[in-house]
Amino acid sequence: MKTLPFIRGPNDRITVECATGEVAIHIRCAYCRHCAGIRIARRLTPSPLLQTHEKLRRGRASDHDLLTAAMMFNQLIDDPRAEAIECADEKGTGFSHLSAR
């Protein structure tokens, strides 16, 4: 598991250095299958989108739950104590969309 520290830019833009280059968290990491969670202080919070997507695939969640998880992800990222993304991309392949199999 890799820790990708936040790079905070202007206008509240947050990016990380991914295997594919610098990517925006709100656009790429939120929907990447490798995102294991958000590091807030010393605690690792699992990615709500990844958890909800798995439930959706099994028929145990609705589209509304997926939208709620996306909003929760954004709230966790915007926490001033949030400092990094935990990435499970051990092979260095970079961004891989949640729905791609």
Side-chain angles (χ1 to χ4, degrees):
M1 186 101 51
K2 299 185 284 188
T3 301
L4 306 175
F6 289 173
I7 302 167
R8 297 186 185 270
N11 299 328
D12 297 325
R13 180 179 163 88
I14 302 172
T15 59
V16 293
E17 193 61 44
C18 180
T20 57
E22 192 172 320
V23 296
I25 289 178
H26 294 92
I27 297 169
R28 292 290 188 171
C29 289
Y31 303 101
C32 182
R33 80 173 62 240
H34 301 299
C35 181
I38 301 114
R39 174 96 27 214
I40 300 175
R42 287 184 261 167
R43 191 181 86 225
L44 175 64
T45 304
S47 172
L49 273 166
L50 190 61
Q51 292 176 330
T52 305
H53 187 265
E54 290 300 319
K55 288 179 186 175
L56 187 65
R57 288 184 57 221
R58 294 186 185 118
R60 295 184 178 156
S62 66
D63 291 342
H64 177 67
D65 294 333
L66 197 59
L67 290 172
T68 302
M71 289 176 32
M72 184 188 289
F73 183 90
N74 287 337
Q75 286 179 334
L76 291 169
I77 292 297
D78 291 336
D79 186 322
R81 297 170 297 153
E83 56 192 36
I85 290 286
E86 292 295 317
C87 181
D89 182 17
E90 297 299 329
K91 296 180 181 176
T93 57
F95 174 76
S96 180
H97 200 276
L98 277 174
S99 62
R101 280 275 183 221

